[in-house]
Amino acid sequence: MTTPVCTGASRAASATAGHHPHTPYASFSSYVRARGPVLLRTARSLTANPCDAEDLLQTALAKTYVAWERIEDHRALDGYVRRALLNTRTSQWRKRKVDEFACEELPEREAVPAPDPAEQQSLHDAMWRAVLKLPDRQRAMVVLRYYEDLSEAQTAEVLGVSIGTVKSAVSRALGKLREDPELTPVR
């Protein structure tokens, strides 16, 4: 870890480097250096953002530093820090800002006008008349593909043609349908 957890940890790190004669928690500094990367991976598993994970680890290590004298079994430090990580993350989650509020009445939805059944029928009829104008083979392919909802492979199998033939014929048929004057207002 390159960023010191707190000023005490900085002093501990400096003491190990020989800058200060004695630091009460020199073992804390060596623990952070040795186990920091592993603990950071644990913090990253608790948050979606790597920067948040670093902050979470810093906070958990600061709590560990404060409790350093009370921790009797230093072989169980990873468990202690992991519990501090989890508790800190849970506290952060509980304190998050909630933008949604429960209310007694549901807000009314904006009224979306229902499609006019007469217009829908008119469009359906116009589309069918346009399909009937297509050559027999193209019409058969369009009907199988879009009215019967068959795949290109299934359409090719039913008609005994290649998939490429279905693709090109349907493409030409759709081009003709786009150009049909009766369907122009729909686009």
Side-chain angles (χ1 to χ4, degrees):
M1 305 226 24
T2 57
T3 308
V5 174
C6 59
T7 55
S10 297
R11 284 193 304 271
S14 299
T16 354
H19 294 98
H20 292 288
H22 182 266
T23 298
Y25 303 133
S27 58
F28 175 78
S29 177
S30 61
Y31 170 75
V32 170
R33 277 195 309 277
R35 301 299 295 161
V38 172
L39 296 170
L40 183 58
R41 280 194 301 273
T42 302
R44 284 189 177 146
S45 71
L46 296 173
T47 63
N49 183 331
C51 294
D52 290 342
E54 290 175 5
D55 291 343
L56 179 63
L57 180 59
Q58 292 286 324
T59 303
L61 287 174
K63 290 177 181 181
T64 304
Y65 180 81
V66 169
W68 194 254
E69 292 179 329
R70 296 188 314 262
I71 301 173
E72 294 176 11
D73 185 6
H74 282 241
R75 292 174 298 179
L77 282 171
D78 282 0
Y80 183 92
V81 175
R82 284 190 179 103
R83 174 51 61 185
L85 283 167
L86 188 57
N87 291 346
T88 302
R89 183 66 184 140
T90 301
S91 295
Q92 291 171 346
W93 178 80
R94 287 182 180 148
K95 292 177 186 176
R96 78 189 189 288
K97 182 180 176 185
V98 177
D99 291 332
E100 296 180 16
F101 301 96
C103 59
E104 291 184 25
E105 290 184 33
L106 291 174
E108 291 184 31
R109 292 185 182 174
E110 288 186 31
V112 177
D116 181 14
E119 285 183 25
Q120 284 185 316
Q121 186 60 46
S122 174
L123 176 60
H124 182 271
D125 292 343
M127 179 60 84
W128 189 245
R129 284 191 301 273
V131 169
L132 289 175
K133 293 178 191 174
L134 294 172
D136 292 341
R137 187 170 164 168
Q138 288 179 358
R139 182 175 56 245
M141 291 183 192
V142 167
V143 168
L144 290 173
R145 283 284 290 128
Y146 298 105
Y147 283 87
E148 297 297 322
D149 201 27
L150 296 182
S151 69
E152 290 170 340
Q154 291 168 326
T155 302
E157 185 178 331
V158 167
L159 297 175
V161 296
S162 71
I163 294 174
T165 301
V166 171
K167 287 181 180 182
S168 62
V170 168
S171 176
R172 283 191 302 275
L174 293 177
K176 289 178 183 178
L177 291 174
R178 280 187 207 100
E179 295 172 1
D180 191 295
E182 207 175 341
L183 299 176
T184 303
V186 175
R187 288 182 260 163

